[in-house]
């Protein structure tokens, strides 16, 4: 069953479509084979076991080969060199190959997961080669016979199932990308891609088609661990770059595997159906992507079939589209530092299970754009919010519910352990409990929204399977099945009988010991057991004599002499031992039988179990959102099909919690009204009473220009409104007093000036690329937040670009937008265009200090307070004073310039800068302030101030003068 016996190098064979080619990895680092020892291998003239190794290695050239030898996985040649370096394990040698030492290192089997994880993290692929027979079996064929071995699995970043290798709170997608054939004359923007993604650790499966422009955003949303690309497009940077950006592995697979016909066939086969109609209609491209995906799973799992759930179709029409950079800037599931900490996800997560946390993360990453589905979710959250006891009961039951999706997947793949079966049992128990809670809550009014489908799925828990698991397994089954010990006493009478036999024989041992002590008179005689000798009789060296002399030497046979002890056996002992061994063997065989039948049962109801796992994840997520709404005081958002946007008393979910945690004062809530709700789309708002005083309702425009000094809270205000949209459309309550939102189809956020040196673009270039993306894609239904664009270049360039951008958003995109800017000149736009409003964030000046009120009001900022903020930041006082002087001159110059008739080429800045010529130089103007200012008077100054010359005698005055002199000289 070796695949692809022919040797080929790690490089991609162009157009080759053999199975072996399909495994060739993208990971340049894994291409250990270019220099690997076996490349020169000629299979003649090597030992049989080396020949076997080379053959297997040759079939898996792009993987690090883990070659099972007893209790170790051994690595040889270049693989050993790489692994010893990455894993920090000792590199040794073993034998010679073609006259050269063979480098080797080994990984103990019981630590395999840990080492696998480290290699996979670093982007390597591992082929796990197992012994397929007992070495004793091989010996029967002759002393030189080699144990049968083969690769049972390729471990790649996108095909993990082990708990130790996976993050319990994150999904791990394997995603196949199929660029749809496009007519040659079609512009690149018209290109489309079909994507299919599976998490084989849970069976979650989704497919969809998107435009090439949305690809980076989609990849950021899916966050796959591994991306499959057709080898023919592998060099296409537009496909590889987004994967690199989220550090997903990319793997080229033969283009011919992207075949819609075989995709359809494989999918039907996997789902066990003859028609796909029941799961929706799939485009040809989607089926092609599915084909490559399922093919690759076959290849890496080598025959084992993971449980997959029916694919969900996701298209641009039912999700809120967010591009990759907007996702990053909004810090949805990861903060800019790359951690979960500080993200919206971390602020919202109140789930109690790993599966619930994954569900929440996936909802935050994929908010919806479909009113009905969102309402179903919100109804369920509202229902659970109103019923605190029900919610608590459910959450308590969930805390005991394990991650059954992943346990099911391991069992179906044949990698399950007794513990996994125990997890499924406990999960089903939790599901039954939760179902009974829901059934009770449904009495009367019935359940709301998504809770109905959850209750329905939980009602289908197979009582038979649950009973079997519950009666067959002990409470806390072990991780390993090979040693048995997991079948519950009383489950099978034959099992009980052999255990009885085994225990009886143990008692026989004890009585033998007593008898031998009495017969020999050696009181310290003991019956013992170890793994090498089995049972034996041990006496100290001094007491060995009686056993070796008549009459006992007939009974006791010598086995081993130790330093201080001697070991013996007897016919009776051997017989009893034989019985124990036979009983243990039978017991183990029965346990394996029990395991196999439970495993088969789980496999048979794999689909139903998947539904139950999903229902548990969903209800955890919904109950967590209700919990969040309760503890943080969120409200249910009103969504409609209009283009209104009216947030009253909105807060930033992450900043609010951070301020609370630091006890740093309350978060100041703010309104945001962009455009009016369409007539009739909303009932008259009854919130007028709750409206904070001072908000100028009439100023609401479709676009807001937000000005205010640094640190006032502009960026916070912008983001909070974008985050409220994400929260509302993923089906969560929102941090506000009330929220009316006309469904958003695309959300854009360009916040702050961030360098993207990793991608080799300067700040300004990145900014312009992202702004271009927004201006080319935003529609009337979109929401755009732009934070200080045009700062990376000269003032007038920047201002002009910002100006033109606002006009374009207004005239062409016609979207809702929040635009924070430093350019006060922009605020004149509000006067010229009716639907643009100015908003500013209030600050107070107090004792020459600036106080941030964080309150948004209509109107433009009077000035930028840059110097006050700089002062807060601790710039030296001399610099602050000097800056204030320069500013005054500049401002004077600007007004003068306006009054004078100046030449056309004379810009206001040039005119203003003229005034600077008259300004004295820094040092000349400020000799004193160059000396650092002291806040406290010196000791001498203080002493001087304390003197009263009128009351002093001449002598006292002279003494005081000397004292002052001394003080000065001491200091100096
Ligand atoms: P800007 O973008 O105007 O420079 P930021 O939005 O970065 O200002 O806000 C600066 C800091 O002010 C934030 O880190 C936050 O701690 C605080 N802040 C902002 N908005 C509020 C608010 N509404 N209530 C309380 N504190 C706020
Ligand atoms: Mg800012």
């Amino acid at each position: 069953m070796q695949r692809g016996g022919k040797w080929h190098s790690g490089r991609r064979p162009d157009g080759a479509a053999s199975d072996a080619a399909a495994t060739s990895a993208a990971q340049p680092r894994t291409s250990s084979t270019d220099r690997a020892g076996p490349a020169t291998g000629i299979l003649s003239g090597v030992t049989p076991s080396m020949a076997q190794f080379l053959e297997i290695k040759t079939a898996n050239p792009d993987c690090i080969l883990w070659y099972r030898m007893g209790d170790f996985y051994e690595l040889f040649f270049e693989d050993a060199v790489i692994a010893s370096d990455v894993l920090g394990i000792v590199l040794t040698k073993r034998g010679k190959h073609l006259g050269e030492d063979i480098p080797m290192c080994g990984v103990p089997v019981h630590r395999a997961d840990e080492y696998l994880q480290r290699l996979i993290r670093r982007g390597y692929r591992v082929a796990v080669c197992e012994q397929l027979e007992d070495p004793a079996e091989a010996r029967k064929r002759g002393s030189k016979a080699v144990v049968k071995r083969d690769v049972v699995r390729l471990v790649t970043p996108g095909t993990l199932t082990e708990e130790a290798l996976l993050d319990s709170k994150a999904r791990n997608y394997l995603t196949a990308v199929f660029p749809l054939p496009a007519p040659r004359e079609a512009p690149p923007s018209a290109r489309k891609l079909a994507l299919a993604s599976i998490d084989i650790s849970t069976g979650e499966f989704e497919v969809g088609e998107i435009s090439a422009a949305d690809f980076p955003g989609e990849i950021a949303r899916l966050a796959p661990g591994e991306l499959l690309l057709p080898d023919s497009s592998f060099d296409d940077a537009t496909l590889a770059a987004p994967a690199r950006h989220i550090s997903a592995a990319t793997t080229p697979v033969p283009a011919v595997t992207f075949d819609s016909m075989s995709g359809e066939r494989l999918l039907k086969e996997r789902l066990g159906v003859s028609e796909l109609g029941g799961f929706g209609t799939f485009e040809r491209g989607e089926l092609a992507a599915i084909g490559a995906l399922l093919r690759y799973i076959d290849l890496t799992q080598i025959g084992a079939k993971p449980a997959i759930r029916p694919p969900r179709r996701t298209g641009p029409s039912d999700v809120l589209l967010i591009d990759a950079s907007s996702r990053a800037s909004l810090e949805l599931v990861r903060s800019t530092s790359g951690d979960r900490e500080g993200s919206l996800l971390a602020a919202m997560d109140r789930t109690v299970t790993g599966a619930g946390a994954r569900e929440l993360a996936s909802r935050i990453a994929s908010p919806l754009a479909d009113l009905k589905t969102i309402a179903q979710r919100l109804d369920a959250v509202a229902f659970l919010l109103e019923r605190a006891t029900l919610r608590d009961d459910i959450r308590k039951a969930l805390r005991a519910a394990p991650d059954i999706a992943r346990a099911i997947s391991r069992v179906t793949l044949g990698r399950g352990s007794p513990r996994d079966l125990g997890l499924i049992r406990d999960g089903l128990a939790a599901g039954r409990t939760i179902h009974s809670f829901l059934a009770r809550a449904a009495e009367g009014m019935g359940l709301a929204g998504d809770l109905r489908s959850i209750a329905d799925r939980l009602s289908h828990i197979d009582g038979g399977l649950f009973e079997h698991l519950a009666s067959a397994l002990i409470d806390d089954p072990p991780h390993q099945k090979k040693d048995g010990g997991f079948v519950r006493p009383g489950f099978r009478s034959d099992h009980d009988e052999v255990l009885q036999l085994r225990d009886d024989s143990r008692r026989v041992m004890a009585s033998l010991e007593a008898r031998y002590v009495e017969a020999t008179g050696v009181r310290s005689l003991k019956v013992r057991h170890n793994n090498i000798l089995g049972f034996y009789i041990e006496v100290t060296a001094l007491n060995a004599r009686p056993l070796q002399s008549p009459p006992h030497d007939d009974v006791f046979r010598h086995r081993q002499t130790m330093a201080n002890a001697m070991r013996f056996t007897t016919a009776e002992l051997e017989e009893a031992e034989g019985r124990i061994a036979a009983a243990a063997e039978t017991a183990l065989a029965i346990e394996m039988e029990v395991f196999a039948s439970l495993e088969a049962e789980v496999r048979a109801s794999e689909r139903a179990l998947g539904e139950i796992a999903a229902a548990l994840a969903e209800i955890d997520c919904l109950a967590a959102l209700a919990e969040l709404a309760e503890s943080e005081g969120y409200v249910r958002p009103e969504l409609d099909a209009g283009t209104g946007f009216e947030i009253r008393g909105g807060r930033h979910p992450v900043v609010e919690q951070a301020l609370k945690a630091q006890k740093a004062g309350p978060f100041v809530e703010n309104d945001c009204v962009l455009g009016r709700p369409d007539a009739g789309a909303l009932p008259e708002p009854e919130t007028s009473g709750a409206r904070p005083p001072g908000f100028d309702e009439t100023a609401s425009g479709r676009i807001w220009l937000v000005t205010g000094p640094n640190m006032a809270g502009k960026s916070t205000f912008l983001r909070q409104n974008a985050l409220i949209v994400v929260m509302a459309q993923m089906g969560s309550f929102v941090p506000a007093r009330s929220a009316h939102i006309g469904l958003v189809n695309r959300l854009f956020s360009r916040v702050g000036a961030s360098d993207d040196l990793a991608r080799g673009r300067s700040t300004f270039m990145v900014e312009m690329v992202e702004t271009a993306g927004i201006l080319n894609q935003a529609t009337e239904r979109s929401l755009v937040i732009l934070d200080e664009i045009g700062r990376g270049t000269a003032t007038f360039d920047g201002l002009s670009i910002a100006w033109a951008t606002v006009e374009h958003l207004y005239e062409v995109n016609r979207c809702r937008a929040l635009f924070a800017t430093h350019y006060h000149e922009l605020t004149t736009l509000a006067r010229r265009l009716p639907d643009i409003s100015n908003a500013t964030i209030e600050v107070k000046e107090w004792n020459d200090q600036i106080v941030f009120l964080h309150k948004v009001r209509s109107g433009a900022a009077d000035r930028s307070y840059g110097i006050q903020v700089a002062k807060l930041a601790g710039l030296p006082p001399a610099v602050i004073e000097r800056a204030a002087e320069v500013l005054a001159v500049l401002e004077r110059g600007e007004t003068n310039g306006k009054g004078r008739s100046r030449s056309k080429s004379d810009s206001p800045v040039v005119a203003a800068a003229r005034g600077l010529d008259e300004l004295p130089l820094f040092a000349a103007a400020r000799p004193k302030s160059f000396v650092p200012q002291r806040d406290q008077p010196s000791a001498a100054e203080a002493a001087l101030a304390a003197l009263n010359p009128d009351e002093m005698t001449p002598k006292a005055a002279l003494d005081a003068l000397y004292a002052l002199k001394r003080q000065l000289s001491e200091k100096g």
Side-chain angles (χ1 to χ4, degrees), residues 709-716 719 751-752 787-788 791 820 822:
N710 272 314
M711 291 300 288
K714 298 182 299 299
S715 304
T716 309
R719 281 161 188 250
V751 175
D787 196 349
E788 304 193 0
R791 293 189 75 186
H822 257 61

Side-chain angles (χ1 to χ4, degrees), residues 650-652 655 659 662 664-670 708-718 720 787-788 820 822 841 852-855:
R651 280 121 55 203
H652 189 297
V655 175
L659 289 180
Q662 297 157 13
F667 187 89
V668 180
E669 52 185 48
N670 279 306
N710 272 314
M711 291 300 288
K714 298 182 299 299
S715 304
T716 309
F717 178 68
L718 259 58
Q720 88 187 24
D787 196 349
E788 304 193 0
H822 257 61
I841 308 195
F852 299 107
L853 302 178
H854 303 306
K855 192 72 207 164

Side-chain angles (χ1 to χ4, degrees), residues 107 188 210 232 276 314 425 433 445 455 492 501 511 673 693 725 768 851 856 884 911 962:
V107 169
I210 47 151
S232 52
L276 291 175
T314 48
R425 169 198 63 196
T433 314
M445 303 273 288
R492 266 178 63 163
L501 209 66
S511 67
V673 182
V725 168
M768 289 303 107
V851 178
V856 177
Y962 276 116

Side-chain angles (χ1 to χ4, degrees), residues 483-487 489 494-510 535 576-589 591:
D483 303 325
F486 51 83
V487 171
D494 53 354
H495 185 245
D496 290 345
E497 273 163 30
V498 287
L499 287 190
Q500 186 67 46
L501 209 66
R502 191 188 66 189
D503 295 343
D504 284 351
S505 309
R506 290 230 167 101
R507 224 165 296 130
V508 169
M509 289 293 176
F535 284 94
E577 176 170 20
R579 278 202 307 272
I580 290 179
E585 205 170 293
T586 320
L588 194 59
E591 297 219 29

